[in-house]
Amino acid sequence: MLKTDTLIIGAGLAGLTAAKTLEGKRDYLVAERAEHPGGLASTVKKGGFLFDYSGHLLHLRWPKTSKLILNALAGNCARIKRDARVYSHKCWTPFPFQANLSGLPARVKSECVSAFLAAYKKNLNAALPAARPETFTAWTRRVFGAGISKHFMLPYNAKLWQYPLERLTTEWCAPFVPVPSPKEVVEGAYGGKSGSLGYNTVFSYPQRGGIGALSTAMARGLGGLRLGLEVESVNLAKGVANVKHFGPVHFKRLINTSPLNQFINCAEDAPAAVKRAAAALRHNTVYVLNLGIKGVKSGMHWGYFPGADFPFYRAGIASNFSARLAPRGCASFYIEIATDGRGLDLASAEAAVISGLKACRLIKSAGQIVERMWLKIPCAYVVYNRERAQALPVISNWLKEKKAFSIGRYGAWKYSFMEESVKEGLEAAEKILHGH
Ligand SMILES: Cc1cc2nc3c(=O)[nH]c(=O)nc-3n(C[C@H](O)[C@H](O)[C@H](O)COP(=O)(O)OP(=O)(O)OC[C@H]3O[C@@H](n4cnc5c(N)ncnc54)[C@H](O)[C@@H]3O)c2cc1C
């Protein structure tokens, strides 16, 4: 029987950072079910191409974690100015849609601008809506007006979330959906000015090895990292986890980074109310089609596709972040299709992707494609709904009582980014070191 002070479930960036912080100071074991570390921040090789689990760009905003990440990368990182676009009404416009209406047909442009200004005026004098939490549909119409909602916000988000938008809540919107001022909307439509808004106008990315280079660097020298170990059940009261093909592991402290709903489902001593709360949590699934393509001219980093005639919500060209992701003369594409968890017919999806890429003029023919690889992210975006808001306090109160941490994008069940997982891994380990 194995004993450890701290058991960490999962070696994604959250688990790796927790382990790195405990290394040499406290006995720990990281159980990772995959045969490689990194979780979603991993890179796979096929042919001469390196493919990430869709675009994984570093948005560094906090000094301590930025330093930790940049130190791990040891110079293997470039800062890049975003070139993101939107394809709608048969034209390309810069992202974000709402601040860059200039290139759209005149009818669409005036519909968007006039409705935005009317909504803005109405909001100036209105009290905040009484209905709480406000739904995404109501929020976008109230903030952006009917035009921008109809032409971008509603169709794009319906494709991404795969969940009724009139039941989606809005706590996630603040960092991810930029709200321009009236001046920015008008200038972006008629003033020939491009509005460069949002949390990711500049991003960082490794120049060698894809985003997996970060996880590989973080995993280096971790004595307690064990790959190919899947935690099947835990009992927090007894301090024991059952690991597949391995047996029981006894622990004093636990850091979970696996999806919260699965973790609670396998927690033997979780009360019925906690199990019920976890069972109410919802997420979507994302299928990423990675393509190696020759003869591509576009310098774009990624594009958003609100149109129902495109099966994907986003497509990016990763070799425009780092040329080393593709052989000379080729580009490395990632194309993201979301489902509500249902399977996808990969052959017909691929055919629809190719005709979409031709329609928006990113490629001329299927003959340019020299490599392909599907990657599946079963739990990709956690759904923000009323049930989530009610469930999380029930679950976290029980975990707090048991002195267990559940962190990271899926452990904490939120829409977060890599640096946030690193931050949470660091903070959980520091609390353990300080005896909290
Ligand atoms: C489509 C998409 C695009 C994204 N783009 C960006 C981006 O551009 N920039 C950005 O900063 N972030 C991005 N993110 C978010 C980013 O991927 C995550 O925030 C971060 O990688 C999560 O790290 P984590 O350690 O919290 O979780 P994970 O990476 O999910 O790691 C959890 C680990 O736990 C392991 N595990 C699960 N269950 C068990 C078990 N029972 N036993 C043992 N091990 C287990 C898994 O195998 C996995 O390795 C994106 C996410 C998605 C879905």
Side-chain angles (χ1 to χ4, degrees), residues 97-230:
F97 180 87
Q98 56 271 31
N100 293 290
L101 300 164
S102 162
L104 292 165
R107 171 189 58 80
V108 177
K109 196 162 41 172
S110 74
E111 192 183 342
C112 290
V113 174
S114 58
F116 178 86
L117 295 176
Y120 184 82
K121 198 170 158 207
K122 197 169 163 199
N123 281 331
L124 274 183
N125 305 317
L128 278 176
R132 287 269 173 240
E134 193 176 15
T135 69
F136 183 78
T137 312
W139 178 80
T140 184
R141 290 203 177 115
R142 179 172 66 76
V143 171
F144 294 107
I148 291 171
S149 298
K150 172 177 138 194
H151 293 291
F152 184 79
M153 290 296 162
L154 294 174
Y156 174 75
N157 281 288
K159 253 194 204 183
L160 168 67
W161 292 98
Q162 295 290 313
Y163 188 79
L165 297 181
E166 58 283 0
R167 287 174 51 207
L168 194 70
T169 54
T170 57
E171 307 94 293
W172 57 277
C173 292
F176 296 108
V177 188
V179 179
S181 65
K183 185 168 180 269
E184 284 165 331
V185 171
V186 172
E187 284 183 345
Y190 299 108
K193 267 200 179 172
S194 174
S196 188
L197 304 175
Y199 69 101
N200 57 3
T201 53
V202 175
F203 59 88
S204 303
Y205 190 79
Q207 289 307 285
R208 293 181 303 282
I211 197 60
L214 173 61
S215 304
T216 307
M218 299 277 282
R220 206 165 286 135
L222 292 182
L225 174 60
R226 296 284 177 275
L227 302 174
L229 285 194
E230 179 172 354

Side-chain angles (χ1 to χ4, degrees), residues 19-66:
K20 205 174 160 65
T21 312
L22 296 176
E23 183 70 31
K25 298 184 183 119
R26 192 64 74 99
D27 172 57
Y28 71 90
L29 172 83
V30 187
E32 167 55 58
R33 73 171 167 208
E35 295 298 335
H36 59 85
L40 279 189
S42 299
T43 301
V44 283
K45 195 169 183 179
K46 187 159 187 224
F49 294 86
L50 290 176
F51 297 128
D52 292 347
Y53 280 69
S54 96
H56 262 78
L57 317 168
L58 288 162
H59 314 296
L60 302 177
R61 52 173 84 173
W62 298 301
K64 199 167 169 182
T65 40
S66 298

Side-chain angles (χ1 to χ4, degrees), residues 18 47 65 84 90 107 120 124 138 164 167 186 198 205 234-235 242-243 248 255 294 304 338 390 397 407:
T65 40
K90 299 199 168 125
R107 171 189 58 80
Y120 184 82
L124 274 183
R167 287 174 51 207
V186 172
Y205 190 79
V234 290
N235 188 312
N242 200 45
V243 176
I255 300 178
K294 61 184 181 187
Y304 299 88
Q390 287 161 353
N397 284 343
I407 59 162

Side-chain angles (χ1 to χ4, degrees), residues 8-16 30-34 36-42 53-59 160 199-200 211 215 226 228-233 243 256-259 262-263 266 284 286 288 302 313-314 334 336 377 379-381 407-412 414-422 424:
I8 302 170
I9 305 178
L13 287 175
L16 289 173
V30 187
E32 167 55 58
R33 73 171 167 208
H36 59 85
L40 279 189
S42 299
Y53 280 69
S54 96
H56 262 78
L57 317 168
L58 288 162
H59 314 296
L160 168 67
Y199 69 101
N200 57 3
I211 197 60
S215 304
R226 296 284 177 275
L229 285 194
E230 179 172 354
V231 174
E232 286 189 309
S233 65
V243 176
N256 169 60
T257 73
S258 74
Q262 294 168 23
F263 173 67
C266 80
N284 76 358
V286 168
V288 185
W302 66 89
Y313 62 88
R314 191 164 58 177
Y334 60 91
E336 299 166 78
I377 308 175
C379 179
Y381 287 82
I407 59 162
R409 177 167 166 121
Y410 304 106
K414 59 184 178 180
Y415 186 173
S416 65
F417 45 96
M418 292 182 284
E419 192 189 20
E420 214 167 331
S421 286
V422 167
E424 290 174 13

Side-chain angles (χ1 to χ4, degrees), residues 177-371:
V177 188
V179 179
S181 65
K183 185 168 180 269
E184 284 165 331
V185 171
V186 172
E187 284 183 345
Y190 299 108
K193 267 200 179 172
S194 174
S196 188
L197 304 175
Y199 69 101
N200 57 3
T201 53
V202 175
F203 59 88
S204 303
Y205 190 79
Q207 289 307 285
R208 293 181 303 282
I211 197 60
L214 173 61
S215 304
T216 307
M218 299 277 282
R220 206 165 286 135
L222 292 182
L225 174 60
R226 296 284 177 275
L227 302 174
L229 285 194
E230 179 172 354
V231 174
E232 286 189 309
S233 65
V234 290
N235 188 312
L236 298 184
K238 292 184 181 155
V240 64
N242 200 45
V243 176
K244 197 173 178 179
H245 306 312
F246 187 81
V249 175
H250 283 253
F251 59 83
K252 288 193 189 128
R253 302 302 304 268
L254 182 96
I255 300 178
N256 169 60
T257 73
S258 74
L260 188 59
N261 57 347
Q262 294 168 23
F263 173 67
I264 294 295
N265 190 37
C266 80
E268 289 167 356
D269 54 330
V274 173
K275 294 242 180 206
R276 269 198 308 277
L281 299 174
R282 294 284 169 271
H283 61 82
N284 76 358
T285 293
V286 168
Y287 291 80
V288 185
L289 175 57
N290 292 286
L291 295 172
I293 307 184
K294 61 184 181 187
V296 172
K297 297 275 185 289
S298 176
M300 171 185 92
H301 293 131
W302 66 89
Y304 299 88
F305 293 80
D309 40 346
F310 291 87
F312 43 94
Y313 62 88
R314 191 164 58 177
I317 309 179
S319 47
N320 288 340
F321 324 143
S322 159
R324 287 188 179 90
L325 296 178
R328 196 180 288 272
C330 290
S332 159
F333 275 54
Y334 60 91
I335 294 110
E336 299 166 78
I337 301 177
T339 75
D340 60 1
R342 258 172 274 191
L344 190 69
D345 175 353
L346 300 186
S348 59
E350 184 174 324
V353 165
I354 292 169
S355 65
L357 293 179
K358 286 198 282 187
C360 69
R361 305 179 296 279
L362 280 172
I363 65 170
K364 288 202 176 103
S365 80
Q368 289 172 256
I369 298 170
V370 295
E371 193 57 271

